[in-house]
Amino acid sequence: MRVLLSTIGSRGDVQPLVALGLALRALGEEVRLCVPPDFREWIEELGLPVTPIGPELRSTGRARPDAAPPTLEQRRQMLEGMVAAQFETIAAAAEGCDVIVGATVLQIAAPSVAERMGIPYVFAAYCPAVLPSPHHAPPVLGMLGDTPAAADADLAELWAKDARRTSDTWGALLNARRAGLGLTPVADVRGHILTDRPWLAADGTLAPWPDPADPHVFQPGAWILRDERPLAPEIEAFLDAGEPPIYFGFGSIRAPHDLGQVIVESARAHGRRAIVLRGWAELSVADDAADCLVIGEVNQQALFRRVGAVVHHGGAGTTTAAALSGAPQVVVPQMYDQHYWARRVDDLGIGTAHAPGAPTAASLTRALERALQPDVRTRARTVAAAVRTDGADVAARRLIAT
């Protein structure tokens, strides 16, 4: 079997597919990935071939959060170029493949390419909130002015609005390309992308599908890439020099220019040291004090087991890695599914959900105060024991049987 794994997004979107790819390869299958060029070198070092799609994305993390949004014409050109690139690149990458697995709702072209080739297409979500349900609201598209749904919100109307917006944004572009391939028009773009049999690659303890009797959603568990890399000597030395520090990392999201100082002040307010991940925003701290260490890409699985708490943006991968380590969490959500993960961390009692938006030293200090309580750490360790690590293997076997 030849499998194409396709996504457009940050490392949190790509890494689960890499885990699935390695699981498939271990079972003797041939795997290719179609992902942004930022990740090509890393994936090819693992022995998996890559077809890069679109421009590098890393620069988006360094853009100012208050930068002016694109004009309507710029946005139209951007979307048109994205769809064209997807149809051309994914079609080429899928040549000779027997199935396509797509992750993230930006997979505009992949299901149509699979349909034209006459092969199966599987959509994988990393969070329940991505999939329509009467039990939860759609993801929060903050760049479009959305805010987290109120407790008494009409969920059916929110999902209907989400479907209309998806079709309004992508429908004409998608159907123009489908017409060129001799395919019929699509009325419900979101349903076309998600399919009527989506997979939910999320841990059943952290993020269970709200209707376990639903036969339409297959939940194999989170696709976790086993990381065997040692920690750098400077990190080991820092960890050994005192009590467990607080880890701060915000992945690929944009960050306020003063976030580095906010981080340091909140850690010091609790008498703690800080490890700060630069991330795509190139975070830094204002001084070179011995109680702070700024690092680059790191083995989270090894590091999180040795920190006092993990403060992060609420990506699915980071949330799962922190939960698996048994470290208390503070989630500072900004957009999309991050609000869901913040609520789950809070509801499970394994950490604290910070209010959406940019944190202040005072707000982050208060959030850490709760997360550092002994009962939270005890609960985090209990939940860690329930998190499964075989999701990619389960999914790989299911895919082979498709």
Side-chain angles (χ1 to χ4, degrees), residues 81-371:
M82 180 186 298
V83 171
Q86 283 192 36
F87 270 92
E88 294 164 9
T89 307
I90 295 174
E95 186 175 351
C97 287
D98 301 298
V99 61
I100 299 175
V101 179
T104 77
V105 294
L106 290 178
Q107 290 296 296
I108 308 302
S112 295
V113 171
E115 182 181 345
R116 181 66 178 84
M117 294 176 64
I119 62 176
Y121 170 73
V122 174
F123 175 81
Y126 301 145
C127 173
V130 173
L131 304 176
S133 168
H135 303 288
H136 56 240
V140 178
L141 300 179
M143 73 288 290
L144 298 180
D146 287 0
T147 57
D152 59 349
D154 184 336
L155 298 183
E157 175 53 33
L158 290 179
W159 280 111
K161 176 183 176 183
D162 180 76
R164 290 193 299 269
R165 182 162 57 190
T166 303
S167 292
D168 289 346
T169 301
W170 303 105
L173 296 172
L174 170 62
N175 285 323
R177 290 282 168 175
R178 285 178 61 83
L181 296 175
L183 301 175
T184 58
V186 168
D188 177 11
V189 175
R190 188 189 66 195
H192 173 70
I193 295 170
L194 302 185
T195 78
D196 59 356
R197 289 286 191 278
W199 290 13
L200 176 55
D203 182 74
T205 297
L206 297 178
W209 182 242
D211 184 359
D214 186 350
H216 300 97
V217 177
F218 170 56
Q219 185 167 13
W223 298 346
I224 300 172
L225 181 64
R226 297 176 181 87
D227 198 339
E228 304 296 335
R229 294 174 297 165
L231 296 176
E234 66 172 353
I235 297 177
E236 289 280 6
F238 188 80
L239 291 168
D240 291 341
E243 67 175 323
I246 307 300
Y247 168 91
F248 298 86
F250 296 91
S252 60
I253 68 168
R254 301 180 182 184
H257 71 279
D258 63 344
L259 184 57
Q261 188 59 35
V262 166
I263 285 169
V264 172
E265 290 181 16
S266 66
R268 287 173 178 167
H270 291 282
R272 297 284 188 137
R273 300 176 301 150
I275 291 181
V276 181
L277 180 74
R278 290 189 189 90
W280 285 11
E282 295 290 349
L283 290 179
S284 61
V285 295
D287 53 50
D288 297 321
D291 64 347
C292 299
L293 178 66
V294 180
I295 64 173
E297 169 61 28
V298 69
N299 179 346
Q300 291 183 336
Q301 295 168 19
L303 179 58
F304 288 178
R305 291 194 294 267
R306 301 178 61 184
V307 300
V310 176
V311 181
H312 62 100
H313 59 301
T318 305
T319 304
T320 303
L324 187 60
S325 76
Q329 306 183 47
V330 173
V331 182
V332 188
Q334 303 298 315
M335 62 180 192
Y336 205 58
D337 62 343
Q338 296 167 8
H339 301 277
Y340 171 90
W341 292 110
R343 289 194 303 272
R344 285 300 295 164
V345 163
D346 206 86
D347 290 346
L348 286 167
I350 61 176
T352 301
H354 186 286
T360 64
S363 68
L364 207 49
T365 298
R366 290 192 298 271
L368 274 170
E369 182 177 4
R370 173 57 187 152

Side-chain angles (χ1 to χ4, degrees), residues 45-66:
E45 286 177 354
L46 296 174
L48 298 175
V50 173
T51 298
I53 184 168
E56 287 195 354
L57 301 178
R58 186 178 181 89
S59 61
T60 61
R62 293 191 293 270
R64 289 181 56 87
D66 57 353

